[in-house]
Amino acid sequence: MQSDTNREISRKRGETLREYTTEYRTAKVEIPKGRDPDCIARYEAQKEKLLTLLGGTVADWDNWNWQMQNRIDDPERLGQILTLDAEERRQIAQVGEQYRWAITPYYLALIDPEDRLDPIRLLSIPTVQEMGAAGEEDPMDEEHTNPAGIITRRYPDRLILNVTNACAMFCRHCQRRRRIGGKDRDVSRAVLDESLDYIRQSPEIRDVLVTGGDALALPNGELDYILSSLREIPTVEVIRIGTRTLATLPMRIDDEFLEIVKKYHPIYLNTHFNTPRELTPEAVAACTRLANVGVPLGNQMVLLEGINNDKYVVQCLNHEMMLARVRPYYIFHAKSVKGTLHFGTSIDDGLEIMAHLRGRTSGMAIPTYILNAPGGLGKIPLLPNYIVERDEETVTLQTWEGRKVQYPNRPKR
Protein backbone atom coordinates (compact mmCIF):
# COMPACT_ATOMS: atom_id res chain seq x y z
CA MET A 1 0.00 0.00 0.00
CA GLN A 2 1.31 3.44 -0.90
CA SER A 3 2.41 5.58 2.02
CA ASP A 4 0.87 8.99 2.69
CA THR A 5 4.21 10.63 1.85
CA ASN A 6 4.44 8.92 -1.54
CA ARG A 7 0.81 9.76 -2.25
CA GLU A 8 1.45 13.43 -1.50
CA ILE A 9 4.51 13.46 -3.79
CA SER A 10 2.41 11.89 -6.54
CA ARG A 11 -0.37 14.45 -6.06
CA LYS A 12 2.07 17.35 -6.29
CA ARG A 13 3.52 15.88 -9.45
CA GLY A 14 0.00 15.61 -10.85
CA GLU A 15 -0.57 19.30 -10.13
CA THR A 16 2.65 20.18 -11.97
CA LEU A 17 1.62 18.07 -14.96
CA ARG A 18 -1.81 19.73 -15.02
CA GLU A 19 -0.11 23.12 -15.21
CA TYR A 20 1.60 22.05 -18.42
CA THR A 21 -1.83 21.76 -20.07
CA THR A 22 -3.20 25.14 -18.96
CA GLU A 23 -1.94 27.24 -21.86
CA TYR A 24 -3.11 24.74 -24.48
CA ARG A 25 -6.54 24.27 -22.91
CA THR A 26 -6.96 28.06 -22.87
CA ALA A 27 -5.74 28.43 -26.45
CA LYS A 28 -7.88 25.55 -27.71
CA VAL A 29 -11.08 27.41 -26.85
CA GLU A 30 -10.09 30.17 -29.30
CA ILE A 31 -9.02 27.85 -32.15
CA PRO A 32 -11.89 27.42 -34.65
CA LYS A 33 -12.73 23.78 -35.32
CA GLY A 34 -14.88 22.27 -38.03
CA ARG A 35 -17.24 20.74 -35.50
CA ASP A 36 -17.85 24.03 -33.63
CA PRO A 37 -21.55 25.05 -33.70
CA ASP A 38 -20.80 28.48 -35.21
CA CYS A 39 -18.69 26.90 -37.98
CA ILE A 40 -21.44 24.38 -38.72
CA ALA A 41 -24.09 27.12 -38.80
CA ARG A 42 -22.04 29.25 -41.22
CA TYR A 43 -21.41 26.21 -43.41
CA GLU A 44 -25.10 25.38 -43.58
CA ALA A 45 -25.94 28.96 -44.56
CA GLN A 46 -23.28 28.99 -47.29
CA LYS A 47 -24.39 25.57 -48.47
CA GLU A 48 -27.95 26.81 -48.94
CA LYS A 49 -26.66 29.88 -50.79
CA LEU A 50 -24.53 27.74 -53.12
CA LEU A 51 -27.33 25.27 -53.84
CA THR A 52 -29.58 28.17 -54.85
CA LEU A 53 -26.85 29.71 -57.00
CA LEU A 54 -25.98 26.42 -58.72
CA GLY A 55 -29.54 25.11 -59.00
CA GLY A 56 -28.72 22.00 -56.97
CA THR A 57 -30.52 19.82 -54.45
CA VAL A 58 -29.40 18.31 -51.16
CA ALA A 59 -28.99 14.99 -52.99
CA ASP A 60 -26.75 16.76 -55.53
CA TRP A 61 -24.64 18.20 -52.72
CA ASP A 62 -23.93 14.71 -51.39
CA ASN A 63 -22.92 13.46 -54.86
CA TRP A 64 -19.18 13.81 -55.42
CA ASN A 65 -19.55 13.91 -59.21
CA TRP A 66 -21.93 16.90 -58.92
CA GLN A 67 -19.42 18.60 -56.65
CA MET A 68 -16.61 18.07 -59.18
CA GLN A 69 -18.75 19.24 -62.09
CA ASN A 70 -19.71 22.40 -60.20
CA ARG A 71 -16.30 23.48 -58.96
CA ILE A 72 -16.05 27.26 -58.79
CA ASP A 73 -13.24 28.58 -61.00
CA ASP A 74 -14.45 32.04 -61.97
CA PRO A 75 -13.80 35.23 -59.93
CA GLU A 76 -17.22 36.67 -60.70
CA ARG A 77 -19.03 33.54 -59.53
CA LEU A 78 -16.74 33.39 -56.49
CA GLY A 79 -17.70 36.97 -55.66
CA GLN A 80 -21.31 35.89 -55.32
CA ILE A 81 -20.29 33.72 -52.36
CA LEU A 82 -17.34 35.55 -50.79
CA THR A 83 -16.91 39.27 -50.22
CA LEU A 84 -14.48 40.36 -52.95
CA ASP A 85 -13.73 43.87 -54.13
CA ALA A 86 -12.93 44.67 -57.76
CA GLU A 87 -9.16 44.57 -57.17
CA GLU A 88 -9.34 41.12 -55.55
CA ARG A 89 -11.35 39.80 -58.50
CA ARG A 90 -8.79 41.25 -60.91
CA GLN A 91 -5.91 39.66 -59.00
CA ILE A 92 -7.60 36.26 -58.84
CA ALA A 93 -8.16 36.38 -62.59
CA GLN A 94 -4.52 37.44 -63.15
CA VAL A 95 -3.14 34.59 -61.06
CA GLY A 96 -5.56 32.17 -62.69
CA GLU A 97 -4.00 32.87 -66.10
CA GLN A 98 -0.76 31.33 -64.83
CA TYR A 99 -1.83 28.95 -62.06
CA ARG A 100 -5.10 27.07 -62.25
CA TRP A 101 -7.52 27.24 -59.37
CA ALA A 102 -10.86 25.58 -58.60
CA ILE A 103 -12.79 24.80 -55.44
CA THR A 104 -15.67 22.45 -54.69
CA PRO A 105 -18.91 23.95 -53.44
CA TYR A 106 -18.42 21.93 -50.24
CA TYR A 107 -14.99 23.37 -49.47
CA LEU A 108 -16.06 26.88 -50.49
CA ALA A 109 -18.95 26.67 -48.02
CA LEU A 110 -16.43 26.26 -45.18
CA ILE A 111 -14.92 29.73 -45.76
CA ASP A 112 -15.98 32.69 -43.66
CA PRO A 113 -17.05 35.04 -46.50
CA GLU A 114 -15.95 38.18 -44.61
CA ASP A 115 -12.56 36.97 -43.36
CA ARG A 116 -9.72 37.55 -45.82
CA LEU A 117 -7.35 35.64 -43.53
CA ASP A 118 -9.60 32.60 -43.19
CA PRO A 119 -7.17 29.64 -43.38
CA ILE A 120 -9.38 27.71 -45.79
CA ARG A 121 -9.57 30.76 -48.03
CA LEU A 122 -5.78 31.10 -47.98
CA LEU A 123 -5.40 27.42 -48.85
CA SER A 124 -7.74 27.56 -51.84
CA ILE A 125 -8.20 31.07 -53.29
CA PRO A 126 -5.37 32.65 -55.34
CA THR A 127 -3.60 35.79 -54.15
CA VAL A 128 -1.23 38.10 -55.99
CA GLN A 129 1.61 36.75 -53.82
CA GLU A 130 1.70 33.72 -56.13
CA MET A 131 3.12 35.89 -58.90
CA GLY A 132 6.52 36.12 -57.20
CA ALA A 133 9.44 34.90 -59.30
CA ALA A 134 11.35 33.21 -56.46
CA GLY A 135 11.40 29.45 -56.06
CA GLU A 136 11.72 26.46 -58.38
CA GLU A 137 9.32 24.74 -60.73
CA ASP A 138 10.45 21.26 -59.63
CA PRO A 139 12.47 21.41 -56.39
CA MET A 140 12.08 17.65 -55.93
CA ASP A 141 13.62 17.01 -59.37
CA GLU A 142 10.76 14.65 -60.17
CA GLU A 143 11.44 14.94 -63.88
CA HIS A 144 14.70 13.04 -63.31
CA THR A 145 13.14 10.35 -61.10
CA ASN A 146 10.69 9.12 -63.75
CA PRO A 147 12.04 5.83 -65.15
CA ALA A 148 8.81 4.87 -66.93
CA GLY A 149 5.25 6.04 -67.57
CA ILE A 150 3.87 8.03 -64.64
CA ILE A 151 6.31 6.74 -62.03
CA THR A 152 8.30 8.76 -59.53
CA ARG A 153 11.00 6.66 -57.84
CA ARG A 154 13.34 7.92 -55.12
CA TYR A 155 13.72 4.92 -52.80
CA PRO A 156 14.87 1.28 -53.07
CA ASP A 157 11.62 -0.59 -52.39
CA ARG A 158 8.78 1.81 -53.22
CA LEU A 159 7.55 4.24 -55.83
CA ILE A 160 4.75 6.62 -56.78
CA LEU A 161 2.13 6.39 -59.54
CA ASN A 162 0.93 9.87 -60.56
CA VAL A 163 -2.38 8.80 -62.06
CA THR A 164 -4.00 12.21 -62.75
CA ASN A 165 -3.42 15.95 -62.56
CA ALA A 166 -6.97 16.53 -61.28
CA CYS A 167 -7.94 17.59 -57.76
CA ALA A 168 -11.19 18.53 -56.10
CA MET A 169 -9.47 21.76 -55.02
CA PHE A 170 -6.10 23.00 -56.25
CA CYS A 171 -4.09 23.86 -53.14
CA ARG A 172 -2.25 27.16 -53.40
CA HIS A 173 0.87 25.52 -51.90
CA CYS A 174 0.86 22.58 -54.35
CA GLN A 175 4.27 21.01 -55.00
CA ARG A 176 3.21 19.80 -58.46
CA ARG A 177 1.54 22.95 -59.79
CA ARG A 178 3.75 22.70 -62.89
CA ARG A 179 1.68 19.63 -63.89
CA ILE A 180 -1.79 21.05 -63.31
CA GLY A 181 -2.21 22.78 -66.67
CA GLY A 182 -5.56 24.20 -67.74
CA LYS A 183 -7.80 21.12 -67.57
CA ASP A 184 -8.12 17.76 -65.86
CA ARG A 185 -6.12 15.00 -67.53
CA ASP A 186 -6.23 11.41 -66.32
CA VAL A 187 -3.39 9.16 -67.41
CA SER A 188 -4.07 7.06 -70.49
CA ARG A 189 -4.43 3.32 -70.13
CA ALA A 190 -1.34 2.79 -72.32
CA VAL A 191 0.87 4.95 -70.09
CA LEU A 192 -0.60 3.35 -66.97
CA ASP A 193 0.13 -0.14 -68.35
CA GLU A 194 3.71 0.92 -69.13
CA SER A 195 4.07 1.91 -65.48
CA LEU A 196 2.58 -1.35 -64.26
CA ASP A 197 4.98 -3.29 -66.49
CA TYR A 198 7.91 -1.48 -64.87
CA ILE A 199 6.67 -2.60 -61.45
CA ARG A 200 6.24 -6.18 -62.64
CA GLN A 201 9.84 -6.16 -63.85
CA SER A 202 11.12 -4.67 -60.56
CA PRO A 203 10.68 -7.36 -57.88
CA GLU A 204 12.26 -5.11 -55.25
CA ILE A 205 9.19 -2.83 -55.36
CA ARG A 206 6.93 -3.89 -52.47
CA ASP A 207 5.09 -0.61 -51.76
CA VAL A 208 3.22 1.58 -54.29
CA LEU A 209 1.65 4.98 -53.61
CA VAL A 210 -1.18 5.91 -55.99
CA THR A 211 -1.51 9.69 -56.10
CA GLY A 212 -1.58 12.58 -58.58
CA GLY A 213 -3.00 15.23 -58.46
CA ASP A 214 -5.48 13.40 -56.32
CA ALA A 215 -5.99 9.68 -56.85
CA LEU A 216 -9.64 9.91 -55.81
CA ALA A 217 -10.39 12.37 -58.59
CA LEU A 218 -10.46 9.25 -60.81
CA PRO A 219 -13.73 7.37 -61.42
CA ASN A 220 -14.28 4.26 -59.33
CA GLY A 221 -13.92 1.99 -62.34
CA GLU A 222 -10.45 3.30 -63.14
CA LEU A 223 -9.39 3.00 -59.51
CA ASP A 224 -10.61 -0.59 -59.50
CA TYR A 225 -8.44 -1.33 -62.54
CA ILE A 226 -5.37 0.24 -60.94
CA LEU A 227 -5.79 -1.45 -57.57
CA SER A 228 -6.60 -4.85 -59.08
CA SER A 229 -3.59 -4.63 -61.42
CA LEU A 230 -1.27 -3.79 -58.55
CA ARG A 231 -2.68 -6.53 -56.34
CA GLU A 232 -2.05 -9.09 -59.10
CA ILE A 233 1.70 -8.32 -58.93
CA PRO A 234 3.03 -10.84 -56.38
CA THR A 235 5.88 -8.65 -55.17
CA VAL A 236 3.63 -5.67 -54.34
CA GLU A 237 2.75 -6.05 -50.67
CA VAL A 238 1.31 -2.66 -49.72
CA ILE A 239 -0.81 -0.25 -51.73
CA ARG A 240 -1.21 3.32 -50.53
CA ILE A 241 -3.61 5.99 -51.79
CA GLY A 242 -2.81 9.69 -51.53
CA THR A 243 -5.83 12.01 -51.41
CA ARG A 244 -6.99 15.34 -50.03
CA THR A 245 -10.67 14.60 -50.70
CA LEU A 246 -11.35 13.78 -47.05
CA ALA A 247 -10.84 17.52 -46.45
CA THR A 248 -12.08 18.99 -49.72
CA LEU A 249 -14.69 16.49 -50.95
CA PRO A 250 -15.63 14.00 -48.19
CA MET A 251 -18.66 12.75 -50.13
CA ARG A 252 -16.11 11.09 -52.45
CA ILE A 253 -15.95 8.18 -49.99
CA ASP A 254 -19.06 6.54 -51.41
CA ASP A 255 -20.33 2.98 -51.04
CA GLU A 256 -18.92 1.86 -54.39
CA PHE A 257 -15.43 3.04 -53.52
CA LEU A 258 -15.58 1.31 -50.13
CA GLU A 259 -16.55 -1.97 -51.80
CA ILE A 260 -13.60 -1.63 -54.17
CA VAL A 261 -11.15 -0.97 -51.35
CA LYS A 262 -12.26 -4.01 -49.38
CA LYS A 263 -11.23 -6.30 -52.26
CA TYR A 264 -7.56 -5.30 -52.29
CA HIS A 265 -6.31 -5.04 -48.72
CA PRO A 266 -3.88 -4.13 -47.33
CA ILE A 267 -4.79 -0.63 -48.55
CA TYR A 268 -3.50 2.37 -46.63
CA LEU A 269 -4.70 5.93 -47.18
CA ASN A 270 -2.77 9.12 -46.46
CA THR A 271 -4.74 12.33 -46.45
CA HIS A 272 -3.92 16.00 -45.99
CA PHE A 273 -5.61 18.05 -43.27
CA ASN A 274 -3.89 21.37 -42.55
CA THR A 275 -6.24 23.10 -40.11
CA PRO A 276 -8.77 22.00 -37.45
CA ARG A 277 -11.41 23.84 -39.49
CA GLU A 278 -11.23 21.03 -42.06
CA LEU A 279 -12.32 18.39 -39.53
CA THR A 280 -16.04 18.93 -40.13
CA PRO A 281 -18.76 16.39 -39.29
CA GLU A 282 -18.76 15.37 -42.98
CA ALA A 283 -14.99 14.90 -43.03
CA VAL A 284 -15.05 12.89 -39.81
CA ALA A 285 -17.84 10.71 -41.22
CA ALA A 286 -15.73 10.00 -44.33
CA CYS A 287 -12.77 9.02 -42.16
CA THR A 288 -15.00 6.76 -40.08
CA ARG A 289 -16.36 5.00 -43.17
CA LEU A 290 -12.84 4.21 -44.33
CA ALA A 291 -11.66 3.09 -40.91
CA ASN A 292 -14.70 0.84 -40.58
CA VAL A 293 -13.69 -1.12 -43.71
CA GLY A 294 -10.17 -1.63 -42.40
CA VAL A 295 -8.25 1.22 -44.05
CA PRO A 296 -5.52 2.67 -41.77
CA LEU A 297 -5.49 6.47 -42.14
CA GLY A 298 -2.51 8.79 -41.87
CA ASN A 299 -2.19 12.53 -42.30
CA GLN A 300 0.51 14.54 -44.04
CA MET A 301 0.26 18.16 -42.91
CA VAL A 302 2.32 20.86 -44.60
CA LEU A 303 3.72 23.55 -42.30
CA LEU A 304 2.33 26.80 -43.71
CA GLU A 305 2.72 30.42 -42.64
CA GLY A 306 -0.56 31.87 -41.42
CA ILE A 307 -2.31 28.49 -41.52
CA ASN A 308 -0.77 26.18 -38.94
CA ASN A 309 2.71 27.38 -37.90
CA ASP A 310 1.50 27.54 -34.31
CA LYS A 311 2.15 24.86 -31.72
CA TYR A 312 -1.35 25.01 -30.27
CA VAL A 313 -3.05 24.88 -33.67
CA VAL A 314 -1.03 21.78 -34.60
CA GLN A 315 -1.77 20.14 -31.25
CA CYS A 316 -5.47 20.86 -31.72
CA LEU A 317 -5.40 19.57 -35.31
CA ASN A 318 -3.71 16.36 -34.22
CA HIS A 319 -6.23 15.79 -31.44
CA GLU A 320 -9.14 16.41 -33.81
CA MET A 321 -7.66 13.90 -36.25
CA MET A 322 -7.18 11.29 -33.55
CA LEU A 323 -10.88 11.63 -32.74
CA ALA A 324 -11.54 10.92 -36.44
CA ARG A 325 -9.23 7.85 -36.32
CA VAL A 326 -6.54 9.53 -38.44
CA ARG A 327 -2.96 9.12 -37.27
CA PRO A 328 -0.76 12.23 -37.61
CA TYR A 329 2.02 10.86 -39.84
CA TYR A 330 4.15 13.68 -41.26
CA ILE A 331 4.59 17.41 -40.90
CA PHE A 332 6.25 18.47 -44.15
CA HIS A 333 8.42 21.55 -44.27
CA ALA A 334 7.05 23.50 -47.24
CA LYS A 335 9.05 23.09 -50.43
CA SER A 336 10.51 26.04 -52.34
CA VAL A 337 7.99 25.78 -55.20
CA LYS A 338 7.71 28.86 -57.39
CA GLY A 339 4.62 30.88 -56.50
CA THR A 340 4.25 29.39 -53.02
CA LEU A 341 7.08 30.93 -51.01
CA HIS A 342 4.73 33.24 -49.09
CA PHE A 343 3.60 30.10 -47.24
CA GLY A 344 7.17 29.29 -46.16
CA THR A 345 8.15 29.09 -42.50
CA SER A 346 11.44 28.72 -40.70
CA ILE A 347 12.75 25.32 -39.68
CA ASP A 348 12.79 26.76 -36.16
CA ASP A 349 8.97 27.00 -36.34
CA GLY A 350 8.75 23.28 -37.01
CA LEU A 351 11.27 22.36 -34.31
CA GLU A 352 9.41 24.49 -31.76
CA ILE A 353 6.19 22.65 -32.58
CA MET A 354 7.88 19.26 -32.26
CA ALA A 355 9.47 20.20 -28.92
CA HIS A 356 6.10 21.38 -27.64
CA LEU A 357 4.24 18.22 -28.67
CA ARG A 358 6.70 15.79 -27.08
CA GLY A 359 5.48 15.04 -23.56
CA ARG A 360 2.41 17.24 -23.81
CA THR A 361 0.45 14.75 -25.87
CA SER A 362 0.65 11.05 -26.61
CA GLY A 363 3.17 9.66 -29.07
CA MET A 364 0.26 8.58 -31.29
CA ALA A 365 -0.53 12.28 -31.81
CA ILE A 366 3.05 13.29 -32.70
CA PRO A 367 4.00 13.14 -36.40
CA THR A 368 7.51 13.15 -37.84
CA TYR A 369 8.76 16.55 -39.04
CA ILE A 370 10.19 16.07 -42.53
CA LEU A 371 12.30 18.19 -44.85
CA ASN A 372 12.56 16.90 -48.41
CA ALA A 373 16.15 17.14 -49.55
CA PRO A 374 16.59 19.24 -52.72
CA GLY A 375 17.03 17.34 -55.95
CA GLY A 376 14.82 14.43 -54.97
CA LEU A 377 17.34 12.98 -52.51
CA GLY A 378 14.66 11.87 -50.05
CA LYS A 379 13.08 12.75 -46.73
CA ILE A 380 15.17 14.01 -43.82
CA PRO A 381 13.55 13.79 -40.36
CA LEU A 382 14.12 16.86 -38.21
CA LEU A 383 14.00 16.69 -34.41
CA PRO A 384 14.93 18.93 -31.51
CA ASN A 385 18.31 17.85 -30.14
CA TYR A 386 17.68 15.78 -27.02
CA ILE A 387 21.33 14.69 -26.79
CA VAL A 388 23.21 17.43 -24.92
CA GLU A 389 26.61 15.76 -24.60
CA ARG A 390 28.15 12.34 -25.11
CA ASP A 391 31.36 10.38 -24.68
CA GLU A 392 32.28 6.72 -24.79
CA GLU A 393 30.81 6.04 -21.35
CA THR A 394 27.88 8.43 -20.87
CA VAL A 395 25.20 10.26 -22.82
CA THR A 396 23.68 13.40 -21.32
CA LEU A 397 20.06 13.76 -22.45
CA GLN A 398 17.39 16.42 -22.08
CA THR A 399 13.81 15.41 -21.20
CA TRP A 400 10.71 17.03 -22.63
CA GLU A 401 10.64 19.26 -19.52
CA GLY A 402 14.20 20.43 -20.12
CA ARG A 403 15.72 18.34 -17.32
CA LYS A 404 19.16 16.89 -17.96
CA VAL A 405 19.76 13.23 -17.19
CA GLN A 406 22.74 10.95 -17.68
CA TYR A 407 22.50 7.51 -19.19
CA PRO A 408 25.13 4.85 -19.90
CA ASN A 409 26.29 4.86 -23.51
CA ARG A 410 26.35 1.08 -23.42
CA PRO A 411 25.16 -1.51 -20.88
CA LYS A 412 27.58 -2.26 -18.07
CA ARG A 413 27.93 -6.04 -17.88
Side-chain angles (χ1 to χ4, degrees), residues 52-341:
T52 300
L53 179 67
L54 299 171
T57 66
V58 173
D60 289 331
W61 189 268
D62 293 334
N63 183 313
W64 75 272
N65 286 297
W66 182 90
Q67 290 274 341
M68 290 289 287
Q69 291 161 7
N70 286 276
R71 286 175 297 179
I72 310 300
D73 59 4
D74 174 72
E76 297 305 315
R77 177 59 62 91
L78 184 68
Q80 296 177 275
I81 302 300
L82 304 182
T83 300
L84 300 174
D85 60 31
E87 178 60 16
E88 286 174 309
R89 296 184 195 205
R90 186 195 68 78
Q91 290 179 0
I92 291 170
Q94 177 191 5
V95 176
E97 291 177 2
Q98 183 167 344
Y99 299 118
R100 187 182 180 196
W101 68 279
I103 181 171
T104 56
Y106 164 81
Y107 200 67
L108 178 55
L110 302 182
I111 299 175
D112 182 341
E114 306 299 330
D115 184 3
R116 284 174 169 77
L117 297 179
D118 182 299
I120 293 179
R121 177 172 176 157
L122 296 176
L123 287 166
S124 58
I125 305 301
T127 67
V128 73
Q129 291 169 292
E130 295 183 39
M131 301 304 290
E136 304 172 63
E137 298 284 350
D138 181 19
M140 299 287 287
D141 198 29
E142 289 186 321
E143 300 305 326
H144 294 123
T145 53
N146 173 218
I150 49 168
I151 287 170
T152 298
R153 183 174 183 183
R154 290 193 289 267
Y155 295 104
D157 72 338
R158 55 204 183 275
L159 54 74
I160 296 170
L161 291 179
N162 298 291
V163 295
T164 182
N165 74 329
C167 289
M169 183 277 288
F170 295 101
C171 296
R172 307 324 304 161
H173 60 281
C174 179
Q175 71 167 351
R176 296 193 178 112
R177 54 171 43 200
R178 72 189 188 281
R179 291 185 176 177
I180 291 173
K183 63 179 182 179
D184 294 344
R185 297 187 310 276
D186 299 338
V187 65
S188 70
R189 186 62 62 87
V191 174
L192 176 60
D193 287 343
E194 176 191 341
S195 309
L196 293 167
D197 283 341
Y198 178 90
I199 298 171
R200 291 187 188 99
Q201 295 165 20
S202 306
E204 73 278 13
I205 300 300
R206 51 165 294 279
D207 182 334
V208 176
L209 169 61
V210 183
T211 184
D214 194 309
L216 295 196
L218 290 179
N220 284 327
E222 190 65 11
L223 283 170
D224 196 345
Y225 177 80
I226 293 168
L227 296 178
S228 65
S229 298
L230 287 171
R231 188 49 70 214
E232 288 170 359
I233 301 174
T235 49
V236 173
E237 299 171 0
V238 171
I239 301 171
R240 290 180 286 155
I241 296 172
T243 181
R244 185 141 155 71
T245 58
L246 294 180
T248 62
L249 186 66
M251 50 283 295
R252 176 62 186 88
I253 310 304
D254 60 13
D255 291 341
E256 184 180 23
F257 174 68
L258 294 172
E259 289 303 314
I260 290 170
V261 165
K262 287 192 292 186
K263 295 188 292 184
Y264 304 118
H265 277 311
I267 299 283
Y268 291 74
L269 188 144
N270 282 332
T271 189
H272 182 177
F273 290 108
N274 283 320
T275 164
R277 285 273 308 285
E278 293 175 328
L279 270 296
T280 64
E282 288 88 344
V284 172
C287 296
T288 300
R289 285 163 65 81
L290 282 163
N292 283 349
V293 297
V295 178
L297 304 173
N299 190 69
Q300 300 183 153
M301 187 196 100
V302 179
L303 188 62
L304 300 167
E305 174 75 32
I307 307 293
N308 53 28
N309 60 324
D310 178 283
K311 58 189 178 183
Y312 299 129
V313 169
V314 174
Q315 186 173 356
C316 180
L317 170 62
N318 292 353
H319 289 176
E320 292 294 298
M321 288 191 296
M322 292 292 287
L323 288 171
R325 295 156 72 179
V326 180
R327 170 81 158 83
Y329 178 42
Y330 283 149
I331 294 178
F332 278 116
H333 193 76
K335 304 173 184 70
S336 58
V337 179
K338 185 178 179 181
T340 73
L341 267 60

Side-chain angles (χ1 to χ4, degrees), residues 7-20 400-401 403:
R7 185 74 73 186
E8 183 60 26
I9 291 171
S10 300
R11 286 172 177 161
K12 286 183 178 180
R13 177 60 174 162
E15 291 169 3
T16 299
L17 294 173
R18 183 183 299 116
E19 289 173 5
Y20 282 117
W400 65 274
E401 293 178 277
R403 301 184 187 187

